[in-house]
Amino acid sequence: MDIFEMSAIEIREAIINKKISAIDLINKIYEKIEKEDKQINSFITLSKELAKKQAEEIDDKIKNGESLGKLAGIPIAIKDNICTDGIKTTCASKMLEDFIPPYDATVIKKLKAEDAIIIGKVNMDEFAMGSSCENSYFGPTKNPVDISRVPGGSSGGSSASVAAKFVPISLGSDTGGSIRQPAGFCGVTGLKPTYGKVSRFGLIAFGSSLDQIGPITRSIDDAALCLEVIQGHDKLDNTSAKLKYDTYLDKLNNVDIQNMKIAVAKEFIKKGLNEEIKNNFLETIEKFKSLGAKVEYISMPITEEGLSAYYIISSAEASSNLARFDGIRYGYRTKTYEDVNDIMVNSRTEAFGKEVKRRIMLGTYALSSGYYDAYYNRALKLKKKIKDQYKEIFEKYDLILSPISPVLPFKIGEKTSDPLEMYLADIYTININLAGVPAISIPSGKNKDGLPIGIQLIGKHFDEEKILRAAKAFEGVK
């Protein structure tokens, strides 16, 4: 029994059936992380003592015949912008290097209530700003498939921890593709739920109208299981939706997508799309047809326009959200100052990285008097237009299929000198956040050098079940 090859569901079964104890499992996982993560750098903080305590409590429950949660004994890694009681939450920034939250985010409470074990906090782009996981104060994370390449961002540590088989499930956050793009780069599965489906309470905000927490896993079943646990209304998050929430795992047996209508925008297959990714995407379309789905080409001319709207809105919200980190109210405080103004200026200058400063400046400019209407208001109008276009498409189709990235995982440092080129890597993911719809990134093959290629399935609001069913069907034939 190789526990590192097992899915989350298989691990739970093994623990319940006493094939392995939770504490033995945790000890083996930490041995593997301490031996292999020196090369990958996926973890910022390991919460070994707390994890062992949780594992012993689960073993005691089994010994005493007590009932167990849906995630009993399953080790989970958490992106370092989600607050964890008693465990450092740094946002991969010098600004929060020593911050230990006194409370758990709602998603963490839900995981613990179902007996999951929190292994530690994983690396990310600073304050979730980036597409490569190179913008971390704690150094870049490397792609476990090829350590000379990036794992994608900003949830690069989350994806790498799953791809390296340290954990079967990791939580990430997705503002413009930050779960799906790194999942694609690392050859794993990443699910961004509908905005409002999973509570954001305890998530340190980047772009509040776009951020969403979701799972990264190695299988569709594990993603469905995790979503069942973390979804639901939360009175602590006023954007959380009040709905009846479904289960998903029980609907993934013998899935049939006969006659499911899938749209493909002709704008997705364009100049600039890597040739191997293009060929893989065309093969993927044929595979969905072989499963009985009806695939049709449509036009979505607004696809590229979303990029500018996304960077204006997300940067504007980031400049507002990060204003609190000034060395007085929150965060790192400089040792060099003569007055209050010096504290704020020097603290922010010393503690924020280049990418965070760039986006704060861009956002502040877009919100400034005289430019607000020209940039921010126009971006909001475009956001509404994009949302309406998705709504119109989903009146005729069940899902939209797209590539996840126009490029393969690139070399570390290859795009750091050209932010615009880096931003273009998000071209297929950002509109989903602007529209607030759910989407999943799933592996669809590899290029000639063995680098992962992924595709994306997009659904209408709160229709995660259909996405998961189509993904599960594809998982069976790929």
Side-chain angles (χ1 to χ4, degrees):
M1 180 174 63
D2 185 351
I3 58 168
F4 303 114
E5 296 293 333
M6 294 164 75
S7 70
I9 293 170
E10 289 170 338
I11 286 174
R12 182 181 184 274
E13 290 300 312
I15 289 174
I16 288 175
N17 294 323
K18 300 181 182 178
K19 291 181 179 174
I20 186 169
S21 69
I23 190 67
D24 284 347
L25 172 74
I26 296 307
N27 284 333
K28 287 178 186 297
I29 283 174
Y30 279 122
E31 280 176 22
K32 181 177 173 69
I33 293 172
E34 285 166 353
K35 182 180 176 185
E36 299 176 16
D37 198 44
K38 290 171 187 168
Q39 275 198 319
I40 299 169
N41 197 31
S42 64
F43 279 87
I44 292 177
T45 303
L46 293 176
S47 49
K48 195 185 286 188
E49 295 308 312
L50 288 171
K52 286 186 176 182
K53 188 180 171 195
Q54 286 178 290
E56 286 167 352
E57 288 171 357
I58 290 163
D59 285 339
D60 285 343
K61 280 187 178 182
I62 293 171
K63 187 178 172 185
N64 298 328
E66 296 176 37
S67 62
L68 292 165
K70 288 182 175 180
L71 301 176
I74 297 173
I76 298 184
I78 308 295
K79 189 174 179 179
D80 211 18
N81 59 351
I82 300 172
C83 287
T84 40
D85 187 4
I87 309 172
K88 275 187 184 180
T89 300
T90 70
C91 270
S93 176
K94 184 176 181 177
M95 183 59 81
L96 290 175
E97 185 179 3
D98 298 316
F99 173 53
I100 300 176
Y103 66 96
D104 278 327
T106 296
V107 289
I108 302 300
K109 285 182 186 171
K110 286 178 178 253
L111 293 179
K112 287 183 177 176
E114 295 293 342
D115 292 325
I117 298 176
I118 309 301
I119 292 295
K121 305 300 285 291
V122 278
N123 209 354
M124 53 184 281
D125 284 307
E126 185 180 9
F127 282 98
M129 298 178 195
S131 304
S132 63
C133 212
E134 293 172 286
N135 303 316
S136 168
Y137 175 63
F138 301 95
T141 295
K142 297 170 184 173
N143 193 324
V145 178
D146 177 349
I147 60 170
S148 70
R149 297 177 185 272
V150 304
S154 66
S155 305
S158 301
S159 292
S161 67
V162 174
K165 300 181 180 175
F166 297 144
V167 288
I169 298 176
S170 184
L171 285 192
S173 68
D174 193 315
T175 307
S178 298
I179 287 175
R180 292 158 287 148
Q181 184 251 27
F185 274 17
C186 291
V188 294
T189 293
L191 173 63
K192 186 209 90 75
T194 305
Y195 183 78
K197 187 156 197 162
V198 175
S199 171
R200 293 181 300 109
F201 177 77
L203 172 68
I204 297 176
F206 163 18
S208 305
S209 72
L210 307 166
D211 296 338
Q212 187 62 83
I213 296 171
I216 295 175
T217 63
R218 291 196 298 273
S219 75
I220 305 300
D221 285 351
D222 284 355
L225 173 65
C226 189
L227 181 61
E228 282 184 17
V229 170
I230 64 174
Q231 68 181 2
H233 176 252
D234 180 12
K235 63 182 180 182
L236 298 175
D237 175 2
N238 62 12
T239 61
S240 171
K242 289 182 182 177
L243 294 169
K244 182 180 179 297
Y245 288 91
D246 295 320
T247 57
Y248 309 104
L249 202 52
D250 55 343
K251 300 180 179 74
L252 296 182
N253 294 321
N254 302 316
V255 287
D256 181 358
I257 60 168
Q258 286 281 336
N259 300 318
M260 189 177 276
K261 293 187 73 176
I262 298 177
V264 175
K266 59 186 181 184
E267 288 80 5
F268 293 163
I269 306 167
K270 56 170 190 161
K271 189 180 176 185
L273 177 63
N274 174 281
E275 196 63 23
E276 288 179 293
I277 295 175
K278 178 184 169 183
N279 292 336
N280 175 271
F281 184 61
L282 295 174
E283 288 169 10
T284 296
I285 290 172
E286 294 306 314
K287 286 177 182 172
F288 271 103
K289 286 180 180 174
S290 72
L291 289 166
K294 296 187 182 302
V295 183
E296 294 180 9
Y297 285 90
I298 61 169
S299 180
M300 288 183 74
I302 208 165
T303 299
E304 292 192 12
E305 294 176 46
L307 196 67
S308 55
Y310 169 77
Y311 277 98
I312 289 172
I313 293 170
S314 64
S315 298
E317 292 182 7
S319 72
S320 176
N321 282 323
L322 269 57
R324 75 192 74 169
F325 301 110
D326 57 9
I328 295 175
R329 288 170 292 180
Y330 293 100
Y332 166 86
R333 178 176 291 185
T334 182
K335 292 181 175 58
T336 310
Y337 62 89
E338 292 182 359
D339 55 27
V340 171
N341 195 49
D342 278 352
I343 291 178
M344 290 191 282
V345 172
N346 293 346
S347 296
R348 290 167 70 81
T349 301
E350 293 168 19
F352 283 140
K354 281 183 183 176
E355 183 62 26
V356 173
K357 288 175 186 169
R358 184 182 293 122
R359 299 207 195 191
I360 288 174
M361 290 175 69
L362 177 62
T364 305
Y365 181 78
L367 290 174
S368 62
S369 174
Y371 297 100
Y372 183 92
D373 283 334
Y375 295 104
Y376 188 65
N377 254 347
R378 285 180 67 186
L380 289 181
K381 286 175 184 171
L382 187 54
K383 182 184 179 188
K384 173 73 167 51
K385 199 173 165 185
I386 290 168
K387 191 173 181 179
D388 289 345
Q389 185 166 83
Y390 274 96
K391 191 176 177 184
E392 190 179 320
I393 292 169
F394 288 127
E395 285 174 359
K396 298 177 184 172
Y397 297 93
D398 297 298
L399 298 171
I400 300 171
L401 177 65
S402 85
I404 196 66
S405 167
V407 294
L408 293 161
F410 43 86
K411 295 274 187 182
I412 291 172
E414 185 180 330
K415 295 185 188 293
T416 49
S417 61
D418 189 344
L420 183 59
E421 192 178 349
M422 184 87 80
Y423 296 165
L424 287 170
D426 298 333
I427 192 76
Y428 294 116
T429 56
I430 50 172
N431 285 340
I432 282 77
N433 297 73
L434 291 170
V437 293
I440 194 168
S441 167
I442 50 177
S444 58
K446 293 179 179 178
N447 85 330
K448 60 180 171 46
D449 298 319
L451 296 175
I453 299 173
I455 51 108
Q456 175 175 232
L457 286 164
I458 308 157
K460 69 179 179 182
H461 291 95
F462 301 103
D463 201 6
E464 278 79 357
E465 181 191 327
K466 203 168 282 176
I467 292 175
L468 289 165
R469 283 177 51 225
K472 178 74 176 181
F474 181 71
E475 190 178 51
V477 299
K478 73 182 183 186

